[in-house]
Amino acid sequence: MTDTAQTPLKILIADDEVNIRRILETRLAMQGHQVAAAQDGTEALELFRSVEPDVVVLDVMMPELDGFAVLERIRAQSEVPVIKLTALGDVADRITGLELGADDYMVKPFSPKELEARIQCVMRRASQGQGGSGVGSASSNVTAVGDLSVDFNRRQAFRCGERIRLTGMEFHLLELLISRNGEPINRLDMLEAVWGYKPERASDSRVVDVHISRLRGKLEPDPLNPELILTARGMGYMFQRLANPSAPQKPSALAAKPHG
């Protein structure tokens, strides 16, 4: 799937507000998508197993099981893109959802048109399975750093030959960092390049921070003292400078603080 405007998707909407479910069901169905709607967390998990959706839109506050519990159970078995819905003032809920594995979030009240754009973006990131980023050798398109290897053609990362589970957004963020290795990238540029939108409020950049933290947790031997994904003070983040991206290397010291 490369374009949700052309390819019908199976979309799961989980929200206890009937008006939101009806509006989204109607709009998305008119675009040719197959929509399943759940009014509580238990029903959401049942539909997730039976429908096997391409993308999930998940509210936080729901009966039976809340959105956090549902997200945890989804992430235990799948890397399907998930967009969380949160209330306007609940910044902590947004961060918690991202930490649990959500790819993006929308703040209520939201524009259905904007949600449709966010769905398109996460699906593009999840479905970009070919082509790579031009990093590494032209034949294999694999970058290796120590015992970590990143295969851009297969869009997978491995440590000592064992696959590291990454969501589509996590891999795209890693791909961006490696493609510009040794170069600090500010949060706003990362948000626009990976998530496809400019922030409307300062807290929007936390999407990047949380995804960086998740990547470090999966890629770094010691996430609290990162050697691969470094913090460039006052700038944003950078991947360590690679002298020869196609060959295994040991992490090198850079003029950037490794903490943060």
PDB file of all heavy atoms in Angstrom, residues 113-141:
ATOM      1  N   LYS A 113     -10.659  15.616   8.506  1.00  0.00           N
ATOM      2  CA  LYS A 113      -9.774  15.714   7.345  1.00  0.00           C
ATOM      3  C   LYS A 113      -8.316  15.572   7.765  1.00  0.00           C
ATOM      4  O   LYS A 113      -7.519  14.932   7.077  1.00  0.00           O
ATOM      5  CB  LYS A 113      -9.994  17.049   6.621  1.00  0.00           C
ATOM      6  CG  LYS A 113      -9.216  17.181   5.322  1.00  0.00           C
ATOM      7  CD  LYS A 113      -9.584  18.462   4.595  1.00  0.00           C
ATOM      8  CE  LYS A 113      -8.815  18.564   3.271  1.00  0.00           C
ATOM      9  NZ  LYS A 113      -9.182  19.812   2.532  1.00  0.00           N
ATOM     10  N   GLU A 114      -7.947  16.171   8.905  1.00  0.00           N
ATOM     11  CA  GLU A 114      -6.576  16.053   9.376  1.00  0.00           C
ATOM     12  C   GLU A 114      -6.268  14.613   9.788  1.00  0.00           C
ATOM     13  O   GLU A 114      -5.176  14.095   9.537  1.00  0.00           O
ATOM     14  CB  GLU A 114      -6.313  16.991  10.556  1.00  0.00           C
ATOM     15  CG  GLU A 114      -4.862  16.943  11.028  1.00  0.00           C
ATOM     16  CD  GLU A 114      -4.591  17.843  12.221  1.00  0.00           C
ATOM     17  OE1 GLU A 114      -5.508  18.554  12.660  1.00  0.00           O
ATOM     18  OE2 GLU A 114      -3.450  17.807  12.716  1.00  0.00           O
ATOM     19  N   LEU A 115      -7.242  13.955  10.421  1.00  0.00           N
ATOM     20  CA  LEU A 115      -7.037  12.560  10.788  1.00  0.00           C
ATOM     21  C   LEU A 115      -6.807  11.710   9.539  1.00  0.00           C
ATOM     22  O   LEU A 115      -5.935  10.826   9.526  1.00  0.00           O
ATOM     23  CB  LEU A 115      -8.239  12.021  11.563  1.00  0.00           C
ATOM     24  CG  LEU A 115      -8.183  10.526  11.914  1.00  0.00           C
ATOM     25  CD1 LEU A 115      -6.971  10.218  12.792  1.00  0.00           C
ATOM     26  CD2 LEU A 115      -9.466  10.076  12.591  1.00  0.00           C
ATOM     27  N   GLU A 116      -7.564  11.982   8.483  1.00  0.00           N
ATOM     28  CA  GLU A 116      -7.374  11.245   7.229  1.00  0.00           C
ATOM     29  C   GLU A 116      -5.958  11.438   6.700  1.00  0.00           C
ATOM     30  O   GLU A 116      -5.331  10.495   6.206  1.00  0.00           O
ATOM     31  CB  GLU A 116      -8.410  11.703   6.201  1.00  0.00           C
ATOM     32  CG  GLU A 116      -9.838  11.310   6.573  1.00  0.00           C
ATOM     33  CD  GLU A 116     -10.888  12.172   5.882  1.00  0.00           C
ATOM     34  OE1 GLU A 116     -10.533  12.892   4.917  1.00  0.00           O
ATOM     35  OE2 GLU A 116     -12.062  12.130   6.306  1.00  0.00           O
ATOM     36  N   ALA A 117      -5.438  12.661   6.823  1.00  0.00           N
ATOM     37  CA  ALA A 117      -4.066  12.934   6.381  1.00  0.00           C
ATOM     38  C   ALA A 117      -3.059  12.182   7.245  1.00  0.00           C
ATOM     39  O   ALA A 117      -2.053  11.661   6.742  1.00  0.00           O
ATOM     40  CB  ALA A 117      -3.789  14.436   6.418  1.00  0.00           C
ATOM     41  N   ARG A 118      -3.319  12.113   8.555  1.00  0.00           N
ATOM     42  CA  ARG A 118      -2.409  11.393   9.452  1.00  0.00           C
ATOM     43  C   ARG A 118      -2.420   9.891   9.121  1.00  0.00           C
ATOM     44  O   ARG A 118      -1.389   9.225   9.179  1.00  0.00           O
ATOM     45  CB  ARG A 118      -2.822  11.594  10.910  1.00  0.00           C
ATOM     46  CG  ARG A 118      -2.769  13.037  11.400  1.00  0.00           C
ATOM     47  CD  ARG A 118      -1.347  13.524  11.620  1.00  0.00           C
ATOM     48  NE  ARG A 118      -1.371  14.861  12.195  1.00  0.00           N
ATOM     49  CZ  ARG A 118      -1.322  15.126  13.492  1.00  0.00           C
ATOM     50  NH1 ARG A 118      -1.248  14.136  14.368  1.00  0.00           N
ATOM     51  NH2 ARG A 118      -1.342  16.375  13.934  1.00  0.00           N
ATOM     52  N   ILE A 119      -3.598   9.365   8.803  1.00  0.00           N
ATOM     53  CA  ILE A 119      -3.695   7.953   8.422  1.00  0.00           C
ATOM     54  C   ILE A 119      -2.869   7.697   7.169  1.00  0.00           C
ATOM     55  O   ILE A 119      -2.119   6.720   7.083  1.00  0.00           O
ATOM     56  CB  ILE A 119      -5.170   7.540   8.201  1.00  0.00           C
ATOM     57  CG1 ILE A 119      -5.922   7.515   9.533  1.00  0.00           C
ATOM     58  CG2 ILE A 119      -5.257   6.181   7.515  1.00  0.00           C
ATOM     59  CD1 ILE A 119      -7.414   7.277   9.394  1.00  0.00           C
ATOM     60  N   GLN A 120      -2.981   8.586   6.192  1.00  0.00           N
ATOM     61  CA  GLN A 120      -2.198   8.446   4.967  1.00  0.00           C
ATOM     62  C   GLN A 120      -0.707   8.439   5.283  1.00  0.00           C
ATOM     63  O   GLN A 120       0.058   7.642   4.722  1.00  0.00           O
ATOM     64  CB  GLN A 120      -2.524   9.582   4.001  1.00  0.00           C
ATOM     65  CG  GLN A 120      -3.912   9.510   3.402  1.00  0.00           C
ATOM     66  CD  GLN A 120      -4.203  10.687   2.474  1.00  0.00           C
ATOM     67  OE1 GLN A 120      -3.302  11.451   2.138  1.00  0.00           O
ATOM     68  NE2 GLN A 120      -5.451  10.845   2.082  1.00  0.00           N
ATOM     69  N   CYS A 121      -0.288   9.322   6.180  1.00  0.00           N
ATOM     70  CA  CYS A 121       1.137   9.438   6.503  1.00  0.00           C
ATOM     71  C   CYS A 121       1.659   8.172   7.178  1.00  0.00           C
ATOM     72  O   CYS A 121       2.682   7.620   6.757  1.00  0.00           O
ATOM     73  CB  CYS A 121       1.378  10.646   7.397  1.00  0.00           C
ATOM     74  SG  CYS A 121       3.127  10.901   7.788  1.00  0.00           S
ATOM     75  N   VAL A 122       0.980   7.679   8.215  1.00  0.00           N
ATOM     76  CA  VAL A 122       1.488   6.491   8.905  1.00  0.00           C
ATOM     77  C   VAL A 122       1.455   5.278   7.995  1.00  0.00           C
ATOM     78  O   VAL A 122       2.321   4.395   8.080  1.00  0.00           O
ATOM     79  CB  VAL A 122       0.726   6.207  10.227  1.00  0.00           C
ATOM     80  CG1 VAL A 122       0.920   7.341  11.219  1.00  0.00           C
ATOM     81  CG2 VAL A 122      -0.736   5.914   9.991  1.00  0.00           C
ATOM     82  N   MET A 123       0.484   5.228   7.071  1.00  0.00           N
ATOM     83  CA  MET A 123       0.440   4.103   6.146  1.00  0.00           C
ATOM     84  C   MET A 123       1.569   4.166   5.129  1.00  0.00           C
ATOM     85  O   MET A 123       2.133   3.144   4.748  1.00  0.00           O
ATOM     86  CB  MET A 123      -0.917   4.048   5.440  1.00  0.00           C
ATOM     87  CG  MET A 123      -2.062   3.594   6.341  1.00  0.00           C
ATOM     88  SD  MET A 123      -1.727   2.049   7.226  1.00  0.00           S
ATOM     89  CE  MET A 123      -1.380   0.929   5.868  1.00  0.00           C
ATOM     90  N   ARG A 124       1.918   5.368   4.689  1.00  0.00           N
ATOM     91  CA  ARG A 124       3.056   5.488   3.776  1.00  0.00           C
ATOM     92  C   ARG A 124       4.326   5.004   4.453  1.00  0.00           C
ATOM     93  O   ARG A 124       5.131   4.279   3.866  1.00  0.00           O
ATOM     94  CB  ARG A 124       3.232   6.945   3.326  1.00  0.00           C
ATOM     95  CG  ARG A 124       2.308   7.385   2.209  1.00  0.00           C
ATOM     96  CD  ARG A 124       2.831   8.656   1.557  1.00  0.00           C
ATOM     97  NE  ARG A 124       2.981   9.749   2.499  1.00  0.00           N
ATOM     98  CZ  ARG A 124       2.011  10.617   2.790  1.00  0.00           C
ATOM     99  NH1 ARG A 124       0.823  10.494   2.222  1.00  0.00           N
ATOM    100  NH2 ARG A 124       2.221  11.596   3.647  1.00  0.00           N
ATOM    101  N   ARG A 125       4.516   5.405   5.716  1.00  0.00           N
ATOM    102  CA  ARG A 125       5.728   5.010   6.433  1.00  0.00           C
ATOM    103  C   ARG A 125       5.746   3.504   6.666  1.00  0.00           C
ATOM    104  O   ARG A 125       6.796   2.869   6.614  1.00  0.00           O
ATOM    105  CB  ARG A 125       5.825   5.733   7.780  1.00  0.00           C
ATOM    106  CG  ARG A 125       5.874   7.243   7.692  1.00  0.00           C
ATOM    107  CD  ARG A 125       6.854   7.742   6.658  1.00  0.00           C
ATOM    108  NE  ARG A 125       6.936   9.180   6.665  1.00  0.00           N
ATOM    109  CZ  ARG A 125       7.217   9.927   5.614  1.00  0.00           C
ATOM    110  NH1 ARG A 125       7.417   9.351   4.431  1.00  0.00           N
ATOM    111  NH2 ARG A 125       7.289  11.234   5.698  1.00  0.00           N
ATOM    112  N   ALA A 126       4.579   2.927   6.933  1.00  0.00           N
ATOM    113  CA  ALA A 126       4.515   1.494   7.215  1.00  0.00           C
ATOM    114  C   ALA A 126       4.707   0.652   5.967  1.00  0.00           C
ATOM    115  O   ALA A 126       5.172  -0.482   6.033  1.00  0.00           O
ATOM    116  CB  ALA A 126       3.169   1.154   7.855  1.00  0.00           C
ATOM    117  N   SER A 127       4.353   1.204   4.798  1.00  0.00           N
ATOM    118  CA  SER A 127       4.337   0.396   3.587  1.00  0.00           C
ATOM    119  C   SER A 127       5.500   0.666   2.647  1.00  0.00           C
ATOM    120  O   SER A 127       5.569   0.078   1.577  1.00  0.00           O
ATOM    121  CB  SER A 127       3.017   0.640   2.827  1.00  0.00           C
ATOM    122  OG  SER A 127       2.918   1.992   2.415  1.00  0.00           O
ATOM    123  N   GLN A 128       6.429   1.552   3.032  1.00  0.00           N
ATOM    124  CA  GLN A 128       7.578   1.821   2.181  1.00  0.00           C
ATOM    125  C   GLN A 128       8.578   0.676   2.334  1.00  0.00           C
ATOM    126  O   GLN A 128       9.534   0.757   3.080  1.00  0.00           O
ATOM    127  CB  GLN A 128       8.237   3.155   2.547  1.00  0.00           C
ATOM    128  CG  GLN A 128       7.409   4.347   2.105  1.00  0.00           C
ATOM    129  CD  GLN A 128       8.003   5.660   2.578  1.00  0.00           C
ATOM    130  OE1 GLN A 128       8.776   5.691   3.522  1.00  0.00           O
ATOM    131  NE2 GLN A 128       7.643   6.752   1.932  1.00  0.00           N
ATOM    132  N   GLY A 129       8.349  -0.375   1.604  1.00  0.00           N
ATOM    133  CA  GLY A 129       9.149  -1.567   1.785  1.00  0.00           C
ATOM    134  C   GLY A 129      10.310  -1.709   0.831  1.00  0.00           C
ATOM    135  O   GLY A 129      11.121  -2.616   0.955  1.00  0.00           O
ATOM    136  N   GLN A 130      10.413  -0.847  -0.166  1.00  0.00           N
ATOM    137  CA  GLN A 130      11.465  -1.023  -1.168  1.00  0.00           C
ATOM    138  C   GLN A 130      12.202   0.288  -1.384  1.00  0.00           C
ATOM    139  O   GLN A 130      11.716   1.359  -1.061  1.00  0.00           O
ATOM    140  CB  GLN A 130      10.866  -1.476  -2.512  1.00  0.00           C
ATOM    141  CG  GLN A 130      10.111  -2.785  -2.434  1.00  0.00           C
ATOM    142  CD  GLN A 130      11.007  -3.950  -2.077  1.00  0.00           C
ATOM    143  OE1 GLN A 130      12.173  -3.961  -2.452  1.00  0.00           O
ATOM    144  NE2 GLN A 130      10.475  -4.911  -1.354  1.00  0.00           N
ATOM    145  N   GLY A 131      13.403   0.169  -1.948  1.00  0.00           N
ATOM    146  CA  GLY A 131      14.111   1.364  -2.394  1.00  0.00           C
ATOM    147  C   GLY A 131      15.203   1.826  -1.484  1.00  0.00           C
ATOM    148  O   GLY A 131      16.248   2.233  -1.932  1.00  0.00           O
ATOM    149  N   GLY A 132      14.977   1.780  -0.147  1.00  0.00           N
ATOM    150  CA  GLY A 132      16.034   2.210   0.772  1.00  0.00           C
ATOM    151  C   GLY A 132      16.288   3.695   0.709  1.00  0.00           C
ATOM    152  O   GLY A 132      15.598   4.450   0.049  1.00  0.00           O
ATOM    153  N   SER A 133      17.332   4.108   1.425  1.00  0.00           N
ATOM    154  CA  SER A 133      17.614   5.529   1.562  1.00  0.00           C
ATOM    155  C   SER A 133      18.887   5.951   0.865  1.00  0.00           C
ATOM    156  O   SER A 133      19.266   7.107   0.927  1.00  0.00           O
ATOM    157  CB  SER A 133      17.747   5.866   3.055  1.00  0.00           C
ATOM    158  OG  SER A 133      18.885   5.230   3.570  1.00  0.00           O
ATOM    159  N   GLY A 134      19.567   4.993   0.209  1.00  0.00           N
ATOM    160  CA  GLY A 134      20.821   5.340  -0.432  1.00  0.00           C
ATOM    161  C   GLY A 134      21.990   5.305   0.518  1.00  0.00           C
ATOM    162  O   GLY A 134      23.082   5.710   0.184  1.00  0.00           O
ATOM    163  N   VAL A 135      21.788   4.802   1.744  1.00  0.00           N
ATOM    164  CA  VAL A 135      22.861   4.685   2.705  1.00  0.00           C
ATOM    165  C   VAL A 135      23.434   3.291   2.606  1.00  0.00           C
ATOM    166  O   VAL A 135      22.720   2.322   2.438  1.00  0.00           O
ATOM    167  CB  VAL A 135      22.338   4.912   4.146  1.00  0.00           C
ATOM    168  CG1 VAL A 135      23.475   4.864   5.129  1.00  0.00           C
ATOM    169  CG2 VAL A 135      21.611   6.227   4.212  1.00  0.00           C
ATOM    170  N   GLY A 136      24.761   3.154   2.741  1.00  0.00           N
ATOM    171  CA  GLY A 136      25.374   1.850   2.659  1.00  0.00           C
ATOM    172  C   GLY A 136      25.740   1.517   1.234  1.00  0.00           C
ATOM    173  O   GLY A 136      25.657   2.334   0.332  1.00  0.00           O
ATOM    174  N   SER A 137      26.147   0.282   0.989  1.00  0.00           N
ATOM    175  CA  SER A 137      26.574  -0.119  -0.331  1.00  0.00           C
ATOM    176  C   SER A 137      25.394  -0.238  -1.261  1.00  0.00           C
ATOM    177  O   SER A 137      24.284  -0.544  -0.838  1.00  0.00           O
ATOM    178  CB  SER A 137      27.313  -1.462  -0.248  1.00  0.00           C
ATOM    179  OG  SER A 137      26.421  -2.482   0.156  1.00  0.00           O
ATOM    180  N   ALA A 138      25.619   0.007  -2.546  1.00  0.00           N
ATOM    181  CA  ALA A 138      24.530  -0.004  -3.516  1.00  0.00           C
ATOM    182  C   ALA A 138      23.950  -1.394  -3.677  1.00  0.00           C
ATOM    183  O   ALA A 138      22.772  -1.555  -3.964  1.00  0.00           O
ATOM    184  CB  ALA A 138      25.045   0.506  -4.862  1.00  0.00           C
ATOM    185  N   SER A 139      24.763  -2.455  -3.493  1.00  0.00           N
ATOM    186  CA  SER A 139      24.286  -3.803  -3.741  1.00  0.00           C
ATOM    187  C   SER A 139      23.416  -4.321  -2.599  1.00  0.00           C
ATOM    188  O   SER A 139      22.331  -4.841  -2.836  1.00  0.00           O
ATOM    189  CB  SER A 139      25.475  -4.758  -3.943  1.00  0.00           C
ATOM    190  OG  SER A 139      26.338  -4.714  -2.804  1.00  0.00           O
ATOM    191  N   SER A 140      23.858  -4.147  -1.354  1.00  0.00           N
ATOM    192  CA  SER A 140      23.119  -4.713  -0.232  1.00  0.00           C
ATOM    193  C   SER A 140      22.269  -3.684   0.482  1.00  0.00           C
ATOM    194  O   SER A 140      21.277  -4.015   1.106  1.00  0.00           O
ATOM    195  CB  SER A 140      24.089  -5.345   0.758  1.00  0.00           C
ATOM    196  OG  SER A 140      24.952  -4.359   1.293  1.00  0.00           O
ATOM    197  N   ASN A 141      22.680  -2.422   0.427  1.00  0.00           N
ATOM    198  CA  ASN A 141      21.981  -1.350   1.130  1.00  0.00           C
ATOM    199  C   ASN A 141      21.835  -1.658   2.615  1.00  0.00           C
ATOM    200  O   ASN A 141      20.772  -1.498   3.193  1.00  0.00           O
ATOM    201  CB  ASN A 141      20.619  -1.089   0.492  1.00  0.00           C
ATOM    202  CG  ASN A 141      20.204   0.360   0.648  1.00  0.00           C
ATOM    203  OD1 ASN A 141      20.999   1.222   1.010  1.00  0.00           O
ATOM    204  ND2 ASN A 141      18.938   0.641   0.379  1.00  0.00           N
TER     205      ASN A 141
END
